[in-house]
Amino acid sequence: DAKTTQPNSMESNEEEPVHLPCNHSTISGTDYIHWYRQLPSQGPEYVIHGLTSNVNNRMASLAIAEDRKSSTLILHRATLRDAAVYYCILSRRSGGSNYKLTFGKGTLLTVNP
Amino acid sequence: DTAVSQTPKYLVTQMGNDKSIKCEQNLGHDTMYWYKQDSKKFLKIMFSYNNKELIINETVPNRFSPKSPDKAHLNLHINSLELGDSAVYFCASSQGLRDTEAFFGQGTRLTVV
């Protein structure tokens, strides 16, 4: 399985930007980088994904290093509702044309009021 | 409308019993999954179905048998429940996985006593 490395936990203050790092040095050319988050007592929720270029959506931005061996999820203004475990995942082929998401330990983000 | 719905939300049962968890998605996706999240919060994929065909089976005991009557449903039947089966089970769906997002249900918390 494709491996990613994230800090166990991070803290942020409300309304400040948050940069969540992820290392994926064994990424292959066809692996997409996905970010999901899991709020307490809920199922994982899609945040963003990308291949090579930086990506923006209404929830966050994804900055991908030029060599693709690392990426950073950026929450522009953290709110208390952003407190969650954030997972950085590589989607990798698992037989035929099928892909699967393999979750790691993730980063527990705490947002202080 | 809930995109991916699971029933029941909570399930408490005795060792040795047989139980089922149901999952339905109304997104028109062709791929559905079952994930297990244990007490240490690790999310592991168990099964993946594409157009009612099993495509991923991640060394799950034979006591677990997924059944997909149609593309919108993927049920999980568990025979002879054991204490170690206690976990939260998440159903998910996607249209492929490489470069699209997966939608997760709210989870079923199974407690075996």
Side-chain angles (χ1 to χ4, degrees):
Chain A
D1 290 336
K3 183 172 171 57
T4 61
T5 305
Q6 300 177 252
N8 289 334
S9 62
M10 289 185 66
E11 248 184 86
S12 172
N13 294 321
E14 207 175 1
E15 301 199 0
E16 290 185 356
V18 182
H19 291 232
L20 296 163
C22 180
N23 286 322
H24 28 77
S25 57
T26 60
I27 191 170
S28 71
T30 56
D31 289 345
Y32 274 76
I33 302 160
H34 293 252
W35 283 82
Y36 282 75
R37 72 181 185 180
Q38 187 172 21
L39 279 65
S41 302
Q42 293 193 28
E45 174 188 30
Y46 168 82
V47 178
I48 200 166
H49 76 279
L51 183 62
T52 56
S53 304
N54 294 344
V55 185
N56 299 299
N57 66 20
R58 62 174 179 81
M59 287 182 70
S61 295
L62 177 60
I64 302 173
E66 200 168 328
D67 63 5
R68 302 212 321 129
K69 294 186 182 215
S70 66
S71 61
T72 302
L73 178 70
I74 303 166
L75 305 179
H76 296 286
R77 288 182 66 200
T79 70
L80 296 178
R81 288 173 295 183
D82 291 322
V85 178
Y86 285 78
Y87 297 98
C88 169
I89 303 161
L90 302 181
S91 65
R92 176 161 285 189
R93 181 172 288 183
S94 176
S97 60
N98 306 307
Y99 291 81
K100 66 176 182 178
L101 298 174
T102 301
F103 287 78
K105 296 180 183 179
T107 297
L108 174 62
L109 175 66
T110 302
V111 180
N112 300 315
Chain B
D1 280 347
T2 304
V4 181
S5 59
Q6 298 177 226
T7 53
K9 190 171 181 180
Y10 300 97
L11 184 54
V12 181
T13 187
Q14 291 187 327
M15 279 175 52
N17 284 351
D18 303 338
K19 290 294 178 185
S20 292
I21 306 172
K22 296 186 176 182
C23 178
E24 177 181 6
Q25 55 98 1
N26 62 6
L27 298 166
H29 290 161
D30 59 7
T31 306
M32 295 185 72
Y33 311 82
W34 277 109
Y35 280 80
K36 177 182 179 181
Q37 188 166 40
D38 60 24
S39 57
K40 294 183 179 178
K41 303 298 185 182
F42 289 119
L43 263 164
K44 292 183 181 177
I45 190 168
M46 300 173 68
F47 301 103
S48 172
Y49 267 73
N50 180 269
N51 287 319
K52 302 196 299 175
E53 275 192 52
L54 179 66
I55 55 173
I56 294 176
N57 182 340
E58 291 285 313
T59 61
V60 177
N62 291 337
R63 298 182 295 103
F64 290 79
S65 53
K67 287 199 171 38
S68 181
D70 55 57
K71 276 174 48 172
H73 296 84
L74 180 62
N75 304 322
L76 183 64
H77 189 76
I78 315 170
N79 289 327
S80 304
L81 277 155
E82 300 176 357
L83 293 177
D85 297 331
S86 295
V88 182
Y89 293 83
F90 290 99
C91 177
S93 76
S94 70
Q95 191 64 23
L97 243 197
R98 183 178 175 215
D99 59 354
T100 60
E101 62 185 284
F103 291 80
F104 284 78
Q106 290 299 297
T108 296
R109 181 174 295 277
L110 171 66
T111 303
V112 182
V113 298

